[in-house]
Amino acid sequence: MTDEALDPTAQAAPRFPPDLDMSRPTVARTYDALLGGKDNFEVDRQAAVEVEKLNPGTMQLVQDNRAFLVRGVDHVTASGVRQFIDLGSGLPAADNTHQVAQRSAPGASVVYVDIDPIVLAHGRAILADSPNTTVTTADLRDVDRVLESPDTQRLIDFAQPVCVMFVSLLHCIPDEDDPFGLVDRYFERLAPGSAVIFSHLASDDQTAAQQLTERIHSLGMEWGRVRFPEEIAHAFDSLEIVSPSTDGSAPPALVDCATWRNGSTVPEKRPADPDKKIWEHAAVGFKR
Ligand SMILES: C[S@@+](CC[C@H](N)C(=O)[O-])C[C@H]1O[C@@H](n2cnc3c(N)ncnc32)[C@H](O)[C@@H]1O
């Protein structure tokens, strides 16, 4: 990416600016800047430039992650699940969970949850004519609040399977908050047949992981860390992972999100390019 692609002086015009802290970047707004969105501020675009400089290819990585999200929602919808809780949903992008799910299952319900109030501000606008969809501001670590909020209770029937999405999310949660224990805390409340769509920034290179983690912290964002693939696998201790290949022939495993059920692409546990030291480690799984 060139600096011009993320011009920090470009004018963004958030549609409903609420009471937002513009003195430092946030994960939601910086991620939107990396995706080429407009719902961000100069401080976020500066942060996106810094991250891309340190880890060239981050812009492509976030595109690959969004494409994974779409394939994941398609897969789970095709398996018959009709209810989604999209945790850390981020700002609306090109193809959002409710649009993907409702394309093949028009009655599908979607609860978007994000800690950043800008997501609610922008989400309301795109959801105005989508009665089965809502967006709420909450911290995913407050499991009771997320699951018992009036929005969730109105749209989700917990006697039926629910898909909970942790897409590009748990690296935002520090170790002391037990990120993978959170997955279990959600799933112990869900019916059999419930699904998870999951991705997490991973690296097999200690230096690369540490540098990106430190840069994001130094930019002032609330964040956890890049983790190693073997740590991330613990998210699935109580769940059954599906094959990452479209024809189902590859053994169940977490893989680089760009290669998860992506046409005839062979699923890979890390990017083939050895210079790509950071990727989104991804899987879809079910509670049996
Ligand atoms: C990297 S973005 C991913 C957005 C979206 N899931 C995707 O994959 O395109 C991470 C999102 O998680 C949100 N987030 C971070 N910590 C959170 C928390 N504790 N509770 C809820 N949302 C959180 C951020 O505000 C941000 O919007």
Side-chain angles (χ1 to χ4, degrees):
M1 185 198 67
T2 62
D3 286 7
E4 292 73 38
L6 277 170
D7 177 2
T9 62
Q11 290 299 307
R15 290 171 292 249
F16 304 104
D19 188 15
L20 300 173
D21 180 1
M22 286 176 253
S23 65
R24 59 186 185 136
T26 70
V27 174
R29 298 181 333 223
T30 303
Y31 184 81
D32 178 69
L34 285 162
L35 271 173
K38 295 282 177 221
D39 299 333
N40 52 71
F41 302 103
E42 182 178 333
V43 71
D44 309 303
R45 294 189 287 278
Q46 292 278 12
V49 168
E50 292 274 322
V51 168
E52 178 68 27
K53 262 191 195 148
L54 179 70
N55 183 53
T58 305
M59 279 183 86
Q60 182 59 48
L61 186 153
V62 300
Q63 297 284 354
D64 290 343
N65 181 64
R66 285 301 300 188
F68 160 72
L69 180 151
V70 170
R71 296 195 300 278
V73 172
D74 268 337
H75 180 82
V76 169
T77 310
S79 79
V81 177
R82 294 288 177 268
Q83 313 185 92
F84 293 80
I85 301 178
D86 187 348
L87 298 171
S89 53
L91 282 150
D95 230 358
N96 301 291
T97 297
H98 74 286
Q99 290 155 327
V100 179
Q102 291 170 2
R103 263 202 298 265
S104 50
S109 307
V110 179
V111 177
Y112 290 108
V113 178
D114 203 285
I115 200 169
D116 192 325
I118 197 172
V119 172
L120 177 62
H122 288 282
R124 275 201 179 120
I126 65 156
L127 299 177
D129 54 1
S130 182
N132 289 346
T133 310
T134 189
V135 53
T136 183
T137 302
D139 186 331
L140 85 119
R141 289 167 288 196
D142 193 344
V143 179
D144 290 343
R145 178 162 171 222
V146 170
L147 296 183
E148 287 161 21
S149 85
D151 277 340
T152 310
Q153 292 290 325
R154 179 171 65 83
L155 287 177
I156 304 290
D157 173 1
F158 285 97
Q160 300 300 321
V162 180
C163 175
V164 182
M165 299 168 61
F166 299 84
V167 181
S168 192
L169 175 61
L170 291 181
H171 45 247
C172 301
I173 304 299
D175 291 342
E176 57 268 30
D177 292 336
D178 189 16
F180 304 126
L182 279 167
V183 177
D184 292 337
R185 287 178 57 210
Y186 278 92
F187 274 85
E188 67 198 15
R189 311 260 296 255
L190 302 180
S194 291
V196 65
I197 304 175
F198 177 95
S199 64
H200 187 302
L201 280 177
S203 181
D204 46 15
D205 181 297
Q206 173 115 32
T207 307
Q210 200 167 335
Q211 281 177 344
L212 185 60
T213 295
E214 283 171 5
R215 179 63 52 89
I216 294 174
H217 281 290
S218 74
L219 286 163
M221 286 184 257
E222 302 282 341
W223 219 62
R225 65 181 173 94
V226 176
R227 295 189 171 91
F228 299 102
E230 49 280 14
E231 298 180 276
I232 296 167
H234 285 305
F236 287 82
D237 282 349
S238 62
L239 301 167
E240 199 176 291
I241 296 176
V242 302
S243 166
S245 60
T246 312
D247 64 4
S249 60
L254 286 112
V255 295
D256 172 14
C257 74
T259 69
W260 188 87
R261 292 199 175 227
N262 191 1
S264 56
T265 308
V266 176
E268 300 284 357
K269 293 197 172 165
R270 72 166 327 288
D273 178 353
D275 289 339
K276 289 210 165 119
K277 298 198 166 116
I278 294 185
W279 68 95
E280 290 272 7
H281 213 41
V284 168
F286 288 87
K287 174 174 176 173
R288 298 300 183 194

